[in-house]
Amino acid sequence: MVNTPGASNAPVPPTDALVGRAEPAAEPPPDLLLAALREVAVPLALLDDHGTLVWANREFEASTGYDAAEARAHQRELLPERFRRHHETAAARAAMQADRATSVTLTLRRADDSLFECRLHVSPVRGSDGVRHWVAAFQDLTEQISHDAEQAALVEAERRERRSLGIIAQVSDLLMDVTDRSTPLHEIAGLLHRTVVGWAAFYVNDGGLRPADAVSDHRPPSGRGNRHGEARRPDGGDETRDTSDEVQALLDGEKDRPVDLDLEGSYVRGSASHWLAEQARRELGTRAVDGPVVVFPVPGRRRVIGVLVVDGRHGGGLAGLEPSTRTVVELTARRVGLTLDNARLYDREHRLAETLQRAMLPQQAEVDGLDVWTYYAPNSENVQVGGDWYDVLQIEPDVVGVVIGDVVGHDVEAAAAMGQLRSVVRSYAYDVTTPGPVLERVDQLVAGMRIPRSAGLVLSTLRRGADGWVLEYSRAGHLPALHSRAGRVEQLTGAGGPLIGFGGGTRETATLVLAPGDVLVYYTDGLIERRDRDLREGLAALEAVVQAVTARDSAGIGEELLSRLADHPEDDVAVVVVRVPDPADAAERSRSPRRRRWSLPSEPASVGRARHAVARTCHAWEMPDASNAELVVSELVANAVLHGYGHVSLQLYDTGDGLRIEVEDGNPAPPVSTDGHPGRVGGFGMQIVERLADWGWRQSSRGKVVWAKVRPGALPASAR
């Protein structure tokens, strides 16, 4: 043997000793095999050919609590009847009859009456005497089932979380635009009904609960002390509060957690719980309700705006709602509450802005010998007051002043600057009259007042003489007015100068002699300015529209300008159209342009007053089709009374070729022509208007104006 330095001299066992010899080993003795089967860590049992247990190892005893004798005595009890899988046991029995190995899943009962599920593997064996027995190996599935259950629970939890996130995302999509007046809450309630609950409905609290159909709501929410109703004592005594009214406690903010509402419960009449239970029963109808419904508060920033009522799919009230379902409903209620609050805040600010702006703008002046039309509308996307303004002044019997201007900005400061400038210009215009000197004085005063906002304007005066009207004007950093004569349009670019307050010198005055039929168009940049074009292109577009106008009255001209240029304004818009009457016009030869205006309260009686006003006007103006005009105005005023708010303004115009009717109300939503109300009278108003007149609508500083021009020879009302 050769010894290698550093190596151990210990003998190395041959490889055969580690991996076994290739030759077969001797058969182990039977007692060794029996001992091995007895000690193996797998429950084993030996069954005779009739299925009777005759032997079991120690692991079987440890798993079941029975030894072989006890297991044999309780063999039928090992397999509980209610847990038997008859289709599997029948298949296993058929395999055993065919002398084949088989497996079957069983639920076994231990000696302590606990149950465990296992997989039984059965194989046939024969002894030296040829008698067949069966070796049964039991595989305990408890750990595997627990692991599978945990995995299934995790998968289900993830599925519910994904579903919840998806529902909240859909709710957020429905509430994305808080100023959208048409987003109905019933869509969100329907979403909850389709996904997580059996039924859902929203109710808002405005001095009392009421069903909520839309996010937009113009009435302020009630707070503490503004109750749904006063509960009366059973003895008929004085009104008192029902202290057990949990729904009212939610509305008052005394509770911030959802409460159960038993629809069959007894509640004090007039209480919020009594009203809501009746409403929920009416909504659910004959559908069976298993247990109470659940009432969730819909919180705003400072107070509870309403409630969300749901009926869980599995009943049981609040306790029957799954945690994920409750989370979804609570988050939905909170988001709806914030959206309602935002919508109301937007509405309040928008109404305030329009009220302030309208108070600062003058009523359209009646001008003898001129046809004047004015228009103002704030940008619908901007709730702040703006700086655009116009003014029409009857300075002297034969002198009319027209002003249009724009203060930079869309905030209260811009509105304040606008109000100051308007007052200053008015004062000096009545004193000096000539535009240039007026603006010079305005420059001096504005510089001393230190008005923080830049402003531009056009000031003009129209003076009537023996030969007609003469226009004088001066511009202070504002877009030029347009002059249209016989289809030709030009910009009045003369007498230009810097913005108000930056003059510091002499302001020029330009003069233009007007001819009959001439049209002057004053405007602010909101009419022509767009993100996709500059002011020069917008001014060219305005010139083209004015040149193509076919109307022969200022109102018709103004409406054509708005319809073509102001469909989607990106800024405030102010427009003044002045037309010099043309004696050559046959429709105007015997009468100058005429207009009448009425302010009507928003009440049904105003419809009759409007009809009488139209009838008297048509008679005075010698217009035919008075009955058609009466029918048209009654439909327009009725819509304003039913669907609008605030006073209703009625204006009638003699356009030379017919009667133009304008009705203004405070609701900015457009009128809609419908097919009527199935099963009810009404709903055909705009269809009647369409048969008798050309009509349209536009936004106004108050809300909207719906106009209609009665068509001569339209189908008489009596023939309908």
Side-chain angles (χ1 to χ4, degrees):
M1 176 181 295
V2 177
N3 293 328
T4 304
S8 173
N9 294 324
V12 178
T15 304
D16 291 347
L18 297 176
V19 300
R21 297 179 183 273
E23 296 82 2
E27 189 76 19
D31 57 342
L32 180 59
L33 292 176
L34 183 60
L37 292 175
R38 186 179 294 112
E39 300 298 333
V40 72
V42 176
L44 295 177
L46 186 65
L47 311 176
D48 63 17
D49 200 25
H50 300 290
T52 303
L53 190 146
V54 296
W55 175 87
N57 68 352
R58 292 179 180 176
E59 187 63 27
F60 177 88
E61 296 176 3
S63 298
T64 64
Y66 293 115
D67 59 17
E70 292 171 334
R72 189 165 47 251
H74 298 86
Q75 190 165 346
R76 295 190 62 83
E77 300 175 15
L78 282 173
L79 194 63
E81 177 65 32
R82 68 180 185 277
F83 294 105
R84 293 179 181 176
R85 298 174 174 83
H86 295 286
H87 62 287
E88 286 195 44
T89 54
R93 189 176 296 109
M96 293 175 66
Q97 290 175 354
D99 203 18
R100 290 186 287 104
T102 187
S103 299
V104 63
T105 301
L106 301 174
T107 300
L108 299 181
R109 187 197 304 276
R110 297 187 179 95
D112 60 0
D113 284 337
S114 63
L115 302 175
F116 74 102
E117 196 161 352
C118 67
R119 187 70 174 170
L120 176 63
H121 306 277
V122 184
S123 301
V125 295
R126 295 183 182 274
S128 57
D129 55 359
V131 177
R132 183 176 64 178
H133 284 70
W134 299 89
V135 175
F138 297 83
Q139 179 187 356
D140 193 343
L141 301 178
T142 302
E143 183 176 348
Q144 178 181 338
I145 292 174
S146 299
H147 179 268
D148 292 345
E150 291 177 0
Q151 293 299 315
L154 290 175
V155 171
E156 177 64 18
E158 183 177 357
R159 186 190 68 80
R160 290 180 179 177
E161 184 176 351
R162 289 179 179 271
R163 181 194 63 180
S164 300
L165 291 175
I167 296 171
I168 297 301
Q170 292 181 64
V171 171
S172 299
D173 289 341
L174 291 173
L175 299 176
M176 183 65 71
D177 184 2
V178 298
T179 64
D180 183 3
R181 306 307 202 273
S182 62
T183 303
L185 290 181
H186 66 77
E187 287 187 17
I188 299 175
L191 173 64
L192 296 177
H193 167 62
R194 293 191 302 271
T195 53
V196 292
V197 297
W199 170 78
F202 286 95
Y203 301 91
V204 294
N205 180 31
D206 295 310
L209 288 173
R210 65 178 183 83
D213 295 326
V215 168
S216 175
D217 186 82
H218 298 285
R219 290 181 289 181
S222 64
R224 188 181 301 276
N226 296 325
R227 315 195 58 73
H228 167 78
E230 294 295 341
R232 293 189 175 275
R233 293 193 344 213
D235 59 3
D238 294 337
E239 295 179 351
T240 182
R241 176 177 175 177
D242 177 16
T243 57
S244 64
D245 189 353
E246 291 191 320
V247 174
Q248 188 65 57
L250 284 180
L251 299 177
D252 290 341
E254 296 175 359
K255 289 188 175 182
D256 59 357
R257 301 293 182 185
V259 299
D260 286 334
L261 179 66
D262 186 0
L263 300 188
E264 303 302 326
S266 177
Y267 304 104
V268 176
R269 184 172 298 277
S271 66
S273 294
H274 179 269
W275 182 91
L276 191 58
E278 285 190 340
Q279 189 72 22
R281 284 196 297 268
R282 188 178 302 114
E283 292 287 338
L284 289 167
T286 58
R287 192 176 73 82
V289 179
D290 185 12
V293 296
V294 187
V295 184
F296 288 81
V298 178
R301 288 178 174 83
R302 297 183 179 180
R303 62 196 68 190
V304 175
I305 294 179
V307 293
L308 169 57
V309 186
V310 303
D311 176 28
R313 289 179 173 171
H314 305 293
L318 185 60
L321 291 179
E322 297 178 350
S324 61
T325 298
R326 176 169 174 173
T327 299
V328 167
V329 177
E330 286 181 336
L331 288 176
T332 299
R334 291 176 187 173
R335 296 199 176 195
V336 168
L338 290 177
T339 301
L340 281 170
D341 224 3
N342 288 339
R344 286 167 165 170
L345 178 62
Y346 178 89
D347 287 334
R348 286 194 295 268
E349 290 184 353
H350 197 68
R351 289 197 304 274
L352 174 61
E354 290 181 349
T355 301
L356 290 174
Q357 192 73 48
R358 186 183 174 210
M360 294 178 180
L361 293 174
Q363 292 292 330
Q364 180 172 315
E366 296 287 349
V367 180
D368 183 23
L370 290 175
D371 183 12
V372 180
W373 177 86
T374 58
Y375 172 82
Y376 171 81
N379 178 13
S380 60
E381 297 180 358
N382 191 348
V383 300
Q384 301 293 336
V385 291
D388 291 16
W389 93 92
Y390 68 84
D391 212 344
V392 179
L393 314 172
Q394 188 76 57
I395 299 174
E396 296 176 4
D398 292 325
V399 179
V400 177
V402 178
V403 187
I404 196 159
D406 185 3
V407 175
V408 175
H410 296 89
D411 51 23
V412 175
E413 190 174 65
M418 180 267 283
Q420 290 175 299
L421 283 175
R422 189 191 67 171
S423 299
V424 170
V425 172
R426 269 194 164 214
S427 300
Y428 286 146
Y430 277 99
D431 185 26
V432 181
T433 304
T434 305
V438 171
L439 294 187
E440 291 174 16
R441 290 195 178 187
V442 174
D443 281 334
Q444 296 173 1
L445 186 59
V446 168
M449 294 172 62
R450 298 184 182 275
I451 293 179
R453 296 300 180 91
S454 301
L457 62 86
V458 174
L459 171 62
S460 65
T461 58
L462 292 95
R463 191 180 302 272
R464 178 166 49 188
D467 297 328
W469 290 90
V470 177
L471 171 71
E472 294 182 325
Y473 66 93
S474 183
R475 296 188 303 118
H478 197 276
L479 294 167
L482 298 184
H483 172 235
S484 175
R485 175 182 293 174
R488 180 182 176 185
V489 179
E490 65 173 343
Q491 302 178 22
L492 300 182
T493 57
L499 295 171
I500 288 295
F502 297 90
T506 303
R507 294 259 187 189
E508 297 181 355
T509 299
T511 302
L512 175 67
V513 177
L514 300 178
D518 282 7
V519 175
L520 299 173
V521 178
Y522 304 80
Y523 56 93
T524 56
D525 57 4
L527 181 65
I528 61 175
E529 187 175 28
R530 298 293 182 271
R531 294 187 180 93
D532 58 350
R533 71 185 182 198
D534 58 25
L535 282 176
R536 193 174 303 234
E537 294 174 334
L539 188 53
L542 174 60
E543 289 186 54
V545 171
V546 173
Q547 188 172 4
V549 165
T550 58
R552 300 185 62 83
D553 64 303
S554 63
I557 295 169
E559 291 294 344
E560 288 196 36
L561 295 180
L562 295 179
S563 64
R564 300 187 188 184
L565 295 173
D567 285 343
H568 302 285
E570 298 174 1
D571 198 355
D572 300 348
V573 176
V575 182
V576 178
V577 178
V578 179
R579 183 175 185 270
V580 179
D582 185 1
D585 191 342
E588 297 176 346
R589 210 173 331 214
S590 60
R591 58 184 185 270
S592 61
R594 293 171 289 192
R595 181 175 68 95
R596 292 186 178 182
R597 172 182 291 181
W598 293 265
S599 180
L600 306 173
S602 183
E603 58 186 31
S606 294
V607 178
R609 292 181 57 189
R611 291 177 67 101
H612 290 304
V614 168
R616 292 194 304 269
T617 301
C618 288
H619 177 73
W621 290 352
E622 299 179 355
M623 287 187 168
D625 300 322
S627 58
N628 292 345
E630 285 186 64
L631 188 54
V632 169
V633 79
S634 66
E635 295 297 341
L636 297 185
V637 174
N639 283 341
V641 170
L642 289 174
H643 307 296
Y645 37 82
H647 272 64
V648 177
S649 174
L650 168 63
Q651 297 188 66
L652 303 179
Y653 295 90
D654 174 11
T655 64
D657 59 350
L659 180 68
R660 179 185 177 87
I661 303 170
E662 291 190 359
V663 176
E664 183 179 20
D665 65 75
N667 186 353
V672 178
S673 180
T674 68
D675 294 330
H677 304 301
R680 295 193 288 127
V681 177
F684 299 96
M686 296 313 298
Q687 290 190 24
I688 295 174
V689 173
E690 287 176 351
R691 293 286 298 272
L692 301 177
D694 298 318
W695 73 278
W697 76 282
R698 59 177 169 82
Q699 288 185 332
S700 69
S701 59
R702 287 184 53 204
K704 70 172 178 299
V705 172
V706 182
W707 61 267
K709 185 174 180 180
V710 180
R711 290 193 291 264
L715 182 65
S718 59
R720 294 187 62 82

